[in-house]
Amino acid sequence: MVKIGIVGGTGYTGIELLRLLARHPQAKLAAITSRKESGMPVADMFPSLRRVVDLKFSTPDEADLKSCDVVFFATPHGVAMDMGPELVRAGVKIIDLAADFRLKDPAMFTKWYKMEHKALDLLEEAVYGLPEINRAALKKARVVGMPGCYPTTVQLGLKPLLDARVIDPTHLISDSKSGVSGAGRKAEMNLIYSELADNFMSYGVSGHRHHPEIAQELSRFAGTPVGLIFTPHLVPMIRGMQSTIYARITKEADFQQLFEKAYEGEPFIDVMPPGSVPDTRSVRGANTCRLAIHRPQGGDTLMILSVIDNLTKGAAGQAVQVMNLISGLPETMGLDGIGLVP
Amino acid sequence: MVKIGIVGGTGYTGIELLRLLARHPQAKLAAITSRKESGMPVADMFPSLRRVVDLKFSTPDEADLKSCDVVFFATPHGVAMDMGPELVRAGVKIIDLAADFRLKDPAMFTKWYKMEHKALDLLEEAVYGLPEINRAALKKARVVGMPGCYPTTVQLGLKPLLDARVIDPTHLISDSKSGVSGAGRKAEMNLIYSELADNFMSYGVSGHRHHPEIAQELSRFAGTPVGLIFTPHLVPMIRGMQSTIYARITKEADFQQLFEKAYEGEPFIDVMPPGSVPDTRSVRGANTCRLAIHRPQGGDTLMILSVIDNLTKGAAGQAVQVMNLISGLPETMGLDGIGLVP
Amino acid sequence: MVKIGIVGGTGYTGIELLRLLARHPQAKLAAITSRKESGMPVADMFPSLRRVVDLKFSTPDEADLKSCDVVFFATPHGVAMDMGPELVRAGVKIIDLAADFRLKDPAMFTKWYKMEHKALDLLEEAVYGLPEINRAALKKARVVGMPGCYPTTVQLGLKPLLDARVIDPTHLISDSKSGVSGAGRKAEMNLIYSELADNFMSYGVSGHRHHPEIAQELSRFAGTPVGLIFTPHLVPMIRGMQSTIYARITKEADFQQLFEKAYEGEPFIDVMPPGSVPDTRSVRGANTCRLAIHRPQGGDTLMILSVIDNLTKGAAGQAVQVMNLISGLPETMGLDGIGLVP
Amino acid sequence: MVKIGIVGGTGYTGIELLRLLARHPQAKLAAITSRKESGMPVADMFPSLRRVVDLKFSTPDEADLKSCDVVFFATPHGVAMDMGPELVRAGVKIIDLAADFRLKDPAMFTKWYKMEHKALDLLEEAVYGLPEINRAALKKARVVGMPGCYPTTVQLGLKPLLDARVIDPTHLISDSKSGVSGAGRKAEMNLIYSELADNFMSYGVSGHRHHPEIAQELSRFAGTPVGLIFTPHLVPMIRGMQSTIYARITKEADFQQLFEKAYEGEPFIDVMPPGSVPDTRSVRGANTCRLAIHRPQGGDTLMILSVIDNLTKGAAGQAVQVMNLISGLPETMGLDGIGLVP
């Protein structure tokens, strides 16, 4: 059994972790922290966990996190780099679902997250938690920075093309759409139901924190700095995310086959047959990324549709996938949930 | 022209007032206050009003409210009783959309709203703003306490029956359902999209502030204290409210005809034909209450379906209706909007 | 392993059965029929099942249903009574999710479903599939008529009270609300998105097919014919159902304790603590019924809030629970899914 | 007064026309046809029109359409070209909201709509009903083909740039998103609530009928055939549409100013200030197109956000705007509705 701690379990990635770990055959939930809700049974906040999870929230001090094998940070940015070093020294492996270990360049981190990075050592050794790309490194990792949800869709949607050098890396466009849970569980006016229901809009058009993260990784694949336009939109739904990605072809290839080969054997990536259109509900609550490759009117532009559940493959599910890897467990353990349809 | 001031225009009743008054042939919007947003153009907060309303929010001090003919309070409870007396002395008529002038008994006000009443004189002279019931008094009113949204549905649904003494007033049940905008425009966790969408629940089951208000008015109609169970539910939709009301018959009558007679000529009450079922969208944005009278399986219980838009007939629309009355204008002026379907 | 056939798998109860059975440790999906979609891979219709279910739809003739241990009917009314007798003679146990084996009186069946009953023998031996009430009989059953979704909520919400003879059985009210998936997967105008979203309404007020079913069972509990008003409402959400039930107290008791005792040890019934309010999302995709008992203002009326997922505890999940019972498996096997929140 | 006939009033463009025309000061609704619903009061189908519209549906034969001044076709494709010639000969002006008069090339019409064009004379004289572009011609038109909803957003979003020859016309991308009402009021499985709610997907990726229409008009503006990728997506909301348009800059300019100048004085086009993001609800039920011009990261690609209500500026509202023009009325008459927020 892997002994698990969760720091900051009152948000949506927190409850999604709980939902998955509560049914994971090898996970033993030992502690979950929340300064604010300390003492409250988790199931009082999330009644869906009544009679399933009998933990109470504790303060980070009360929780004996150092005795855990793995600690997840489902916290705001900045917490993992604060608490992480001591845990790692104590032999704990840490998985951060926030942004502390995503951007390799600490200056970029400071620019986008408005704080100094406090754990440069950990940052340097941290592995970027996208298993389909960093599987080998993750198996040996002590510190993992999990990708953002948007970055997961865009990277999985572009990697085979950039690897194969068949598209123009200087003019990539990702027109991305997310359900509202991606914005987190926060008491903010612009997140309330009556503001968002039956409504649609772009946001973050002047610059979104996921942009540098995506650009960093795509540039690694391309072997050259990429040019990327990334436009997020807010969809009136709870879960689900799609990136509609446009790239100019520079070299002909069998693009469908390229993807099928690249992701052959991947348990959580589904390259759909030609002509397909994935919908977000088909991955609701599932740790799956569905991809469809299109070439509109046979022209020189490829269009990739990349769909995930932002809380599962886009956050907590992918984090459990990483936990399996770093704990020597089968990568798919505890992640066989089927998309909830309808 | 009626010169209008609005105190507290940043909530949903505020913007609904603006939407209606901006197209009202005899309303001249002179001032709208918000301490917090002072200086901001109203249309910056609500882009739907771009090129329609060019007012800016001002502080209550800057706004020359005393020069207005009518001032609406679209504020939290307690503001109207604070600012009202001075305005009334200056000859301004005030219409409060909050609860300051709803409950006739100041002790009840204190019990439910946790504050002392500061304007007992105004409370005493205040007229309850349900035009279909208090039309004559409203024409001469200087101070009006507008009904809550739930109370509007329940009163209009029960008055003809209580007046006619044909039902048991001691065991009334209103199982009521509201869209989320009824909870207001507030940055609260339990109002955010991801908590409420695709979800349904009761709330306020241990006691809701609209209960004493409804009971007060129903008791007036019945001529005796009523017994009322009132259960509000939250529906994942923006606007719309239905009360499903159950009452035991004590005396036979032609109940359909009773309603048709009671509301004959009422411009904003639509007694539907026997067997009908109103839906909330049919009154979306319209100042209409639709009623349907049913007698399930021909038994001894009546069921009344009473449907409004909580922001229109349940708040701002009804307030404009009252403004028309107290200003000597045709009651329906500016209120001919048709339900937005689909 | 239990060899399973599903007749009529293209509706919502069909896909919910597939979702549950695909992960059931002892279920072997052998055949799924659809005359219309014969030959189509199930996963082409429901991409959420890609790489999970590799069955194709077959015609009832092709499917070797007689070799199955258990056959589920997720069909329109009338199919199970048609095909059932031959299967039962062949030793197959059948579980009908439609109405063929719900109403004990064939005349009632004909009245409400507009067809003659064709399998009176099976009807007579059929057990009503509510495990919390008929567990012993179900373990030996060959033919099971699964309860409707509304009936599940109302029966579980009233049984302890009727058993204990503490309420007036002649004036029961169930004000019930359902998500749209309860209406099935049908190409009907009144089910399309733009008709139902952001909208709320009652329906079936002149008589709903679940009424006689509920009344039949409640009368059994009460030992006397009950009087029941049952008002269904349509909520703009996909899954989820609540019955808000009102009953007049005839004898004092500790009602909370009454429920806790009645459902002690029940794995799928959660009697919440006093003062609680269940929400439908807490059971989204889970085989749980959550109950809360209230006594508004301490008066003489009880209010029970009874919440399920209409497709899970209200249909397919409960059917799998029954399958476990009639197959000698642990009742909870394959049913440990946690409500998907948010 | 303009005497109005509507052919085919049972769909969403039909009821939107009724909503607008019922309050239009110079419109006299004379007839509305529906073969299927002939004899039924319009308000029975759409209760939002109770006590507002007292017409009944009639058959086209009963309706004396030739005596009308203007006849709207809110019908499936092919009806206007069938009935139009006789009406035009009788002196009636016709406005088709379907596709019969959109594509100038009858071969293209046949290719995309799978029928021969039957009224080539009318097609030739028909004016394309986008007032901001064809105002002068529309004032004299007898036959108008109204633009589709998507084409309205894309054309208004690209015309100033193509006119000014500042972007590359060969690689335009419109990533477009629509509410569900754009698909019409049809009993189709893929339109039902439980299939679309809380879900998001692309559709029509292999070719959408609006593509040739958009390309035809953009090519006119550009003076050269354009290359266009047009990807429609379905958003779980009723009304509202956004096109997120990407174009490569070929010549520097003050793009914000370009748009402001191009649309100066336009009553229904709102070029928002730099940095703005329009949301669809701000135009819910309003005849407005809101545009925002962005240049992501100061690169060589422009992004234009173009937002309308697909039923109003995208269909019925724009058709009334055209009716005003061809009838010599003020263009804005009857179209001053404000976006319904929230």
Side-chain angles (χ1 to χ4, degrees), chain C residues 44-61:
Chain C
D44 281 11
M45 175 170 285
F46 299 118
S48 58
L49 299 174
R50 279 173 59 85
R51 312 207 285 186
V52 175
V53 172
D54 57 6
L55 277 177
K56 293 183 183 185
F57 290 109
S58 55
T59 64
D61 298 334

Side-chain angles (χ1 to χ4, degrees), chain B residues 78-94:
Chain B
V79 177
M81 71 183 181
D82 241 15
M83 296 174 58
E86 194 181 341
L87 290 174
V88 172
R89 275 194 301 273
V92 181
K93 292 170 179 175
I94 65 172

Side-chain angles (χ1 to χ4, degrees), chain A residues 12 186 191-195 236, chain B residues 12 186 191-193 195 236:
Chain A
Y12 291 139
K186 298 177 204 145
L191 294 182
I192 70 175
Y193 184 91
S194 303
E195 296 290 301
Chain B
Y12 292 138
K186 297 176 206 148
L191 293 183
I192 70 174
Y193 184 90
E195 296 291 302

Side-chain angles (χ1 to χ4, degrees), chain B residues 40-89:
Chain B
M40 178 196 260
V42 169
D44 281 9
M45 175 169 286
F46 299 118
S48 57
L49 300 174
R50 279 173 59 85
R51 311 208 286 187
V52 175
V53 172
D54 57 6
L55 276 177
K56 294 183 183 185
F57 291 109
S58 55
T59 63
D61 299 334
E62 294 159 1
D64 185 15
L65 294 173
K66 285 192 209 166
S67 73
C68 291
D69 300 306
V70 175
V71 167
F72 293 91
F73 286 88
T75 48
H77 312 299
V79 177
M81 71 183 181
D82 241 15
M83 296 174 58
E86 194 181 341
L87 290 174
V88 172
R89 275 194 301 273

